[in-house]
Structure formats: structure tokens, C-alpha cells
Amino acid sequence: MSAGPAIGASDKLTFLLSLVPFLMDHDRISVTAVADHFGVTPDRVREAVNLIAVSGIPGETRQYLHGDLFDIHWEELETNDLIVLTHLVAIDDSPRFSAREAAALIAGLQYLSSLPENADVDAIASLMAKLTRSASGAPSQVAVAGTDAGSTIAVVQAAVRRGVQIEFDYLNARGEQEQRLVEPWRIQSVDRDWYLRGWCHLREAARTFRLDRMSGLHVTMIPTSPRPLEAEQPEALFEGSASDLEVTVELASAAVPLLADYGPYGAGVPGGDRVRRTLGVAHFHGLKRLVAGLAGVVEVVGPIEARAVVRDWAAAGIARYDEPDDAGFDPLVGE
Amino acid sequence: MPSTSEKTSRVSVEERLFSLVLALIATEIGLTKADILSTVQGYRQRYVSGGDNASLERQFERDKDDIRELGIPLEVVEPPDDPGSNHHLRYRIPKGLYDLPADVSFTADELMLLKLAATVWREGSLSAESRRAMTKLNALGIDSSDPVLGYSPSLRVREASFEPLSKAMDRGQVVAFLYLKPGESAPRRRQVEPRAVVLFDGRWHLFGTDRDAAANRTFLLSRIVGPVVAVPGGTFVPPGEGQAQEALSELDALWNANLATISVQPGSDAAVRLSKRHSTDSPQSGEGDTTVNLHFTDLNVLADELAGFGPEVLVHAPAALRSAVRARLVSVRDAHTDALTTSTTEEGE
């Protein structure tokens, strides 16, 4: 029941406008029940009810007289923590969604529709149509194409539900392959990448695995142990990985945002519109891929071993093109 | 609120906004600005009769924008007998357009799905909008069925350009930004009418009309390398619904039309990552390497990605992709081949 990030006036206004019709539909309801329903603290409910009870319209007299204000049963609130709305003004219905609010939910639904159990396309389409009709303007044009999470997700999901452990071969970010026995806790995703968070018996620690790095997945009959609290926290996805190696790169100043994920910091200005930045990386295994994927944009200037690793990686790649191309390879075979 | 603390006022922002919404819903014919400033709670306390209310007027302008951002239809009505007169403009919120349509209702299952959809944006862009949408849904008093266990899907738009682009799109505002096109090494300034922002094949794309090219173009948000700024005086009429779907179907058509054939080293990062790519045809066993067919939308984007895999990938077709990947690898090798000192003097000027 966290109140979430800092609550601005817009959130508070939305809460007030939503609380009125809800209270209207509930003759007597406790502060805690309202707090549970809206997922806010009881204090926030009391604060809102206190404000609603003294609010209203200027009215004929322009003086905000008694009949122009909302009213509540004060004694019930003070002695029993119960809310009883006794007089209504101006509003009696839920407000519509804004164009962006509707768009946020619609895009969220589109994203969810790639999950195996939400594949009921008709149900999702009808829900999106309802949201569109419930918005005060055409929903913002934000859309998400279905991403196919593959068959792995369904297998892992079934294991999570049945509470059994899974076994798979895992290729880690350093390029090492190992067999893992894992207690699966939860499937998480960020954009098109899907992850499993769980307890790894090999490492004896909580770990996050990319689903696309798993192979030979199979579900065991071994039941999972009771989950620790940590298992319920989706935020634990990206624990900072060790980034002991510092690498200095040179690139056009305009291209720096491309490296935002690596926390670049300033390392001198070689002149012109070029800049140098220092990146923290866990190992050269990842660095060479990063730099080769940004050909012509990023150059490693040091340390010299890092330059050599990148050069060798690219050279090994080129060597493959200097071999004859699989004598008579026909790209159309087997399509 | 900045710069409006000249008079102490104990009326909170939300109380002022709430009172304004109530007053404007309660009026049929609308209230003039003078009516509002002199009578509505939160304004009237600071109103000087016959005096200078300029800062209060600016406050009202900002409040109007904030209220509209929440999807509340705040209307301006011109008096029929005095059109064009600023002084007699009236403001109101038509109740019929404020209320959720009477025939819209949600089942417990639908609500569960919507809750999950809202959590997709739990951080960053659109998270405030999702949160407010959920508050409004909660007003309906439906108890949702239990959320699906074991899932925690999220969209995390890393690109800073998402927010300004999507807002400009809603307002019909032409924007300008520096764009580093894949395959080019210097960014170019683009002026664009933003029409849709879509996630396709794991990448966020902007679909819009390029003002200089006078044609529709698709941009990768990750390649927008400077701030997105409004072009002064540049507005257009947002074409409304269907743009996002059009953008997606164009990308989908492109994706289907482009097919690359590559070999990947078994057990390598490339094999694991690429063989599971959405709708790749099933890999066939060759001698040693595994052959993978990959659909793609942009040759240069795919070439960048494949070059990153170094020797783990060999491109067979199309020929343009094969040479693009090889050229990238050559440029990376050459840029890292000279002794460190030589290369810095060459490029450091």
C-alpha cells in the first residue's frame, strides 16, 4: 500500500473527483476499506474527505452557503472512522480518461496481449474500444506491436504456478555455459526482453536470467521452497553488476546518448565536436560487442588491451567473409 | 507554484482546482473570467476588486491547462451577441462530456487486465497517466479478480525523447531534433510533424511527416541524439486515430518483405539470441554452423546489430547486408589497429 512517487496536485484532484462517485455508491464505508480499494493510505482518504466536506460551488449568493457544499456525517467520521456522504454538489459520476491516460492503458494491453494467457484477441480488442469511448479525446497515438515471448515463457510460467523447480542450460553474459537448477519466482519483462527471477542452486543466490539465453529447459518434480520476501519485489531485477573495468572511448558529442546505459562520464575533450567518455564495463566480452555494434560511431582509446580485444573481434569477423561462402550456398533452400 | 506567493493563501492547489471544476460543471451558461476570479474558492481570497489581477489571471490560465491535461473537457464559449470579445468569453465543463459514458462498464476480469496493463508503465513515461487512469477506474467500485500470479511485465522507455514527442503529437506541435541515422556518422537536424510513437520489434519508432522531405518517415527514438524542441509557430492538425496502427502495419509490411539469411556459431551468444527471434523460420542444421532466417525492417539497424556479434555471425544474403556488415567490421578493426598515440594525433587535431 505504498503511496507511490510524490503526489502532485493533479493526482490529488483526480482522487477527489473519483472519490465522490465512489462514496455516493457506498452509503456507509470505513476509511480503511476506501484506502484498500484505492490503494492509498487511510490518512490520504481522511484528508480528501475533509476537503470534500467543505467544498462546493459559489451558488446564487456567491457565498458558498451551506446548501452549496458537500456534506458528510461528521460524527460517524470522528467516532467510527466511517464515511457517510449526506449532500452532493455538481458531480455524481466518474470522470472520463484523458487521451494520454487511455493511451497508456491501451498500449499496456497491447503489450500484455503477447503473454500466452492473454491471447484472447477479441476480449482485448473490446476492452480497448471501451477505453477509447471512455476518453475525452482520441487516445494518443502510442502503440505496441506484439512481441513473441516464445515457448519458453509458457513452460516457465507453468512451473511458477505449479511451484516446481526448473533446470536449463544457461549461457551467461561472459559467454560461459552452465547447467542451472532454479526455483522460479516470477517472470519479468522490460520492453522486448523477458527475464526469470528466482533462486539459483548453483550460485546459492537470487539471480535474474534472460529467457533467450536458456536452452534445454525442463520442468522437474522438485517442489519449490517457500519464497522469501524478496521474491515479491519486481524492482530487484537489475542489481548493479560489478563493473570493475574502466574504458575510455571517443565519439561525436552528439552520439553520447547512445551510451547512456553505461553511465559515461567526462574524460577530456580532444577537440572539435568529438568528446571522450569513460565507461564502466564488467568485462571486455560485452565491450567488444557494444563497440562493434556502433561501427564508425565509437572508438575505444584505452586501455590498450581493450583496443586489442575490439580489433581482434572485428578482425575475426572479417576473416569469416574472406572464406569462400559455403561453396554454392543457396539462401532459399529450406524456406 | 512559482512566483505567486505575493499573498498568503491557505487554500491548497487541489482545493482551488477542485472548486474550479465544481463551479464550471455546475454552470449551464458558463462563467466569465471575472466571475471565476472573484467568486471561486482559492481565487476569491486573492482577488482585488477593481485592481490589478494579472498574476491571478496567469494562475487561472495554468489551472485551465492542468485541468484539461486530466481529460476534463473545459470549454470556452463565445457570447453569440458579442463574438470575438475576449471580455465576455465564458468557461464551462459540459457534464455530459465530463461523465464516463453511461453504457461503459467493466467486468472484474477486465479490471484485473487493466490493472496489469497499468503496471506495465510502473516507472518513467506514462506512469503518472496510468496511475490516474487506475484512480478513475477505482471510482467505479468494481472489485477486480486476483491479478495473474508470477508476472511482472514492464515497458521502460529509456529514450528521453518519448515524453516530448508524445506530448507534441497530442498538441499538433512540429518538433525539431538531431537524428543520427543508422549507417551515417554525423547527425542531421530534422523537422517533423509527429503522428505516432510505436514499439515494433523491440524498438521505439517515431512515425511522422518530415517537413524538409515533405513525406512520411520513420525514426528510431534511440537515434535521436539531442533535445526535442518545439519549432516556433509550427503547428499541424493531428490526424487523430489510426496513425499508430498505420505506422505498425507499414513496419510490419517492411519486416515481412525483408529477409536475411545468416549462419550462427552453435552455442554462441548469437545463436542463443538470434535463433529465438520473433518469427524467425525454424533454424536448419548445416555443417557446423546453424542457418537462421531473420526478418528485419531496416538494413542498417540489422547490420549494426549483426556486426556486434563479430565472428559468431556470417551473413549470406542479401548481398547489401553482407557488405554492410563486413564494412562495419573493417571500420571497427581499422579504427582500433593503429598504435594508440598515432590514432589520437590523427583524430585529435
Side-chain angles (χ1 to χ4, degrees):
Chain A
M1 216 190 327
S2 96
I7 301 149
S10 296
D11 282 12
K12 288 186 175 175
L13 175 60
T14 305
F15 185 47
L16 293 169
L17 295 172
S18 305
L19 192 52
V20 170
F22 178 81
L23 294 176
M24 213 181 81
D25 291 341
H26 295 81
D27 293 340
R28 295 161 62 83
I29 187 163
S30 73
V31 166
T32 49
V34 175
D36 282 351
H37 181 77
F38 281 91
V40 299
T41 60
D43 276 347
R44 222 182 128 196
V45 175
R46 285 185 204 104
E47 189 191 334
V49 170
N50 277 302
L51 176 53
I52 290 170
V54 297
S55 295
I57 56 173
E60 293 281 312
T61 61
R62 305 177 145 212
Q63 295 299 316
Y64 283 95
L65 295 186
H66 186 71
D68 298 321
L69 305 178
F70 285 95
D71 205 1
I72 60 162
H73 203 306
W74 287 100
E75 209 183 308
E76 284 284 25
L77 183 66
E78 278 150 24
T79 54
N80 301 323
D81 217 20
L82 285 176
I83 308 166
V84 182
L85 205 53
T86 56
H87 192 246
L88 277 171
V89 185
I91 55 172
D92 53 13
D93 211 337
S94 316
R96 294 186 186 209
F97 301 116
S98 74
R100 284 173 73 79
E101 289 164 2
L105 292 182
I106 288 174
L109 284 174
Q110 290 172 332
Y111 185 59
L112 290 180
S113 64
S114 49
L115 296 178
E117 71 229 52
N118 295 326
D120 186 348
V121 182
D122 290 343
I124 291 210
S126 105
L127 193 46
M128 293 197 292
K130 276 190 199 178
L131 288 171
T132 303
R133 272 201 300 141
S134 313
S136 57
S140 312
Q141 293 299 297
V142 174
V144 174
T147 49
D148 186 355
S151 54
T152 313
I153 192 170
V155 177
V156 177
Q157 164 79 353
V160 172
R161 288 212 165 146
R162 281 172 45 208
V164 291
Q165 306 192 15
I166 55 175
E167 237 176 348
F168 51 86
D169 290 320
Y170 192 70
L171 183 70
N172 72 14
R174 288 174 185 266
E176 301 148 359
Q177 187 124 22
E178 281 173 326
Q179 189 166 36
R180 311 284 187 122
L181 176 64
V182 171
E183 309 211 351
W185 288 340
R186 139 194 312 268
I187 294 169
Q188 295 168 222
S189 71
V190 177
D191 299 348
R192 77 166 153 185
D193 299 325
W194 294 82
Y195 303 85
L196 167 68
R197 182 77 182 164
W199 183 264
C200 174
H201 285 290
L202 184 67
R203 294 278 179 273
E204 295 190 324
R207 282 287 184 271
T208 301
F209 303 95
R210 288 184 63 108
L211 295 197
D212 61 4
R213 288 175 175 277
M214 292 178 185
S215 52
L217 171 66
H218 94 101
V219 178
T220 70
M221 305 295 281
I222 316 165
T224 49
S225 342
R227 298 182 193 190
L229 257 184
E230 188 203 352
E232 308 305 330
Q233 291 168 357
E235 281 68 30
L237 183 50
F238 299 102
E239 63 264 39
S241 57
S243 50
D244 329 315
L245 298 171
E246 290 203 329
V247 173
T248 301
V249 297
E250 187 176 308
L251 70 171
S253 55
V256 172
L258 301 182
L259 299 177
D261 283 354
Y262 301 86
Y265 57 92
V269 181
D273 63 352
R274 311 270 300 168
V275 293
R276 287 194 177 173
R277 289 288 183 271
T278 299
L279 315 177
V281 297
H283 38 74
F284 292 153
H285 183 79
L287 176 77
K288 64 191 182 190
R289 290 159 194 272
L290 171 72
V291 175
L294 289 166
V297 177
V298 174
E299 181 190 338
V300 175
V301 293
I304 199 117
E305 309 91 275
R307 277 178 65 82
V309 166
V310 172
R311 180 198 60 219
D312 293 348
W313 184 243
I318 298 161
R320 300 215 51 191
Y321 290 89
D322 298 337
E323 300 158 7
D325 186 10
D326 295 339
F329 182 89
D330 181 355
L332 295 178
V333 164
E335 259 193 83
Chain B
M1 291 280 113
S3 78
T4 50
S5 52
E6 55 265 41
K7 291 213 175 77
T8 44
S9 149
R10 272 167 291 123
V11 179
S12 64
V13 184
E14 64 270 22
E15 181 173 2
R16 184 180 70 238
L17 294 175
F18 187 46
S19 302
L20 180 57
V21 171
L22 295 176
L24 294 182
I25 288 180
T27 174
E28 283 280 332
I29 57 162
L31 300 177
T32 65
K33 197 189 284 183
D35 291 337
I36 293 165
L37 302 187
S38 62
T39 65
V40 172
Q41 179 74 354
Y43 297 99
R44 62 185 181 133
Q45 284 84 351
R46 291 159 54 195
Y47 182 73
V48 185
S49 183
D52 175 23
N53 289 293
S55 96
L56 203 52
E57 289 192 23
R58 285 195 300 274
Q59 181 71 68
F60 173 64
E61 295 303 319
R62 284 196 297 269
D63 289 350
K64 269 193 322 190
D65 290 343
D66 287 350
I67 283 174
R68 286 183 174 135
E69 284 274 289
L70 296 181
I72 297 169
L74 196 161
E75 277 186 2
V76 188
V77 192
E78 277 196 348
D81 50 333
D82 191 9
S85 155
N86 261 345
H87 277 285
H88 297 100
L89 290 179
R90 287 179 172 273
Y91 300 89
R92 65 171 187 181
I93 297 170
K95 195 159 182 312
L97 298 178
Y98 168 89
D99 292 346
L100 205 63
D103 59 336
V104 168
S105 62
F106 298 94
T107 64
D109 281 353
E110 286 178 329
L111 200 68
M112 181 271 291
L113 214 50
L114 289 172
K115 277 188 178 174
L116 199 57
T119 65
V120 163
W121 301 97
R122 77 173 71 84
E123 50 179 312
S125 304
L126 296 183
S127 61
E129 283 82 359
S130 295
R131 200 168 58 235
R132 288 197 290 267
M134 282 319 299
T135 304
K136 291 178 182 178
L137 278 168
N138 282 328
L140 303 175
I142 311 155
D143 289 316
S144 75
S145 33
D146 277 339
V148 187
L149 267 180
Y151 271 144
S152 170
S154 68
L155 284 170
R156 194 179 55 161
V157 188
R158 299 170 204 214
E159 292 87 354
S161 51
F162 181 89
E163 198 79 6
L165 286 174
S166 60
K167 286 192 168 156
M169 180 171 84
D170 289 343
R171 295 191 192 120
Q173 170 69 54
V174 181
V175 293
F177 49 79
L178 280 176
Y179 189 66
L180 181 55
K181 192 178 172 184
E184 293 180 4
S185 57
R188 238 172 357 111
R189 187 173 183 270
R190 305 297 191 99
Q191 276 198 47
V192 177
E193 296 174 5
R195 290 168 185 275
V197 180
V198 298
L199 181 70
F200 183 86
D201 202 17
R203 295 182 178 89
W204 285 99
H205 297 74
L206 165 68
F207 174 69
T209 309
D210 186 313
R211 280 243 163 150
D212 300 318
N216 285 348
R217 291 280 184 272
T218 303
F219 304 89
L220 282 168
L221 265 60
S222 61
R223 290 286 177 155
I224 293 176
V225 290
V228 173
V229 296
V231 173
T235 55
F236 65 102
V237 180
E241 277 182 77
Q243 297 294 307
Q245 281 315 313
E246 189 185 330
L248 283 183
S249 36
E250 275 188 23
L251 286 167
D252 203 45
L254 256 180
W255 187 86
N256 274 306
N258 289 319
L259 188 66
T261 306
I262 63 173
S263 296
V264 293
Q265 281 175 358
S268 67
D269 213 36
V272 174
R273 304 281 294 267
L274 297 175
S275 325
K276 291 183 183 166
R277 182 72 64 81
H278 178 40
S279 295
T280 47
D281 304 343
S282 43
Q284 346 150 7
S285 303
E287 288 160 26
D289 278 4
T290 308
T291 304
V292 175
N293 290 321
L294 274 184
H295 284 285
F296 62 97
T297 49
D298 186 288
L299 187 138
N300 283 305
V301 172
L302 182 63
D304 279 347
E305 186 183 3
L306 295 181
F309 288 112
E312 294 176 358
V313 165
L314 176 64
V315 179
H316 300 292
L321 180 68
R322 186 178 159 94
S323 56
V325 171
R326 190 178 186 281
R328 277 163 171 75
L329 291 169
V330 168
S331 108
V332 170
R333 182 195 59 192
D334 294 351
H336 295 86
T337 293
D338 299 343
L340 179 61
T341 42
T342 327
S343 97
T344 21
T345 19
E346 267 175 13
E347 308 210 2
E349 333 221 313

